[in-house]
Amino acid sequence: MSNDGFMMLVAERLARIETTLEGIRRDRDEEKKTSDDHEGRLRSLERWKYMLPPTLVTALVSAGVTLYGQIGR
């Protein structure tokens, strides 16, 4: 095999490797976006879950005060 033929073979293989690496990078970036989206959704659910009890207590106290005011008249 001549030196020019070998260099062409190396260049072709490098081009295929670069194409493969670019595909892997795109896939990784897409997975990162999906992972970030899921992480954000989980965090918002956790915030909602931990905010529910104080909100529920406040609503019950408000309802109790309102009922007490209505019954006390």
Side-chain angles (χ1 to χ4, degrees), residues 61-72:
V61 169
S62 297
V65 169
T66 303
L67 285 173
Y68 181 76
Q70 293 295 325
I71 295 171

Side-chain angles (χ1 to χ4, degrees), residues 6-25:
F6 178 74
M7 293 305 287
M8 293 278 289
L9 180 64
V10 169
E12 288 174 16
R13 287 187 177 177
L14 283 175
R16 281 188 284 178
I17 290 170
E18 287 176 347
T19 302
T20 302
L21 287 175
E22 180 63 25
I24 291 170
R25 187 195 60 78

Side-chain angles (χ1 to χ4, degrees), residues 2-58:
S2 70
N3 197 23
D4 288 340
F6 178 74
M7 293 305 287
M8 293 278 289
L9 180 64
V10 169
E12 288 174 16
R13 287 187 177 177
L14 283 175
R16 281 188 284 178
I17 290 170
E18 287 176 347
T19 302
T20 302
L21 287 175
E22 180 63 25
I24 291 170
R25 187 195 60 78
R26 266 188 267 122
D27 290 347
R28 185 206 57 198
D29 290 348
E30 193 62 38
E31 287 294 322
K32 176 78 170 127
K33 288 178 189 175
T34 302
S35 175
D36 289 346
D37 181 53
H38 288 297
E39 185 69 28
R41 289 176 187 221
L42 285 173
R43 289 190 190 283
S44 68
L45 285 172
E46 288 171 349
R47 270 193 304 267
W48 177 81
K49 182 177 96 175
Y50 291 119
M51 289 301 295
L52 182 61
T55 305
L56 185 60
V57 170
T58 303

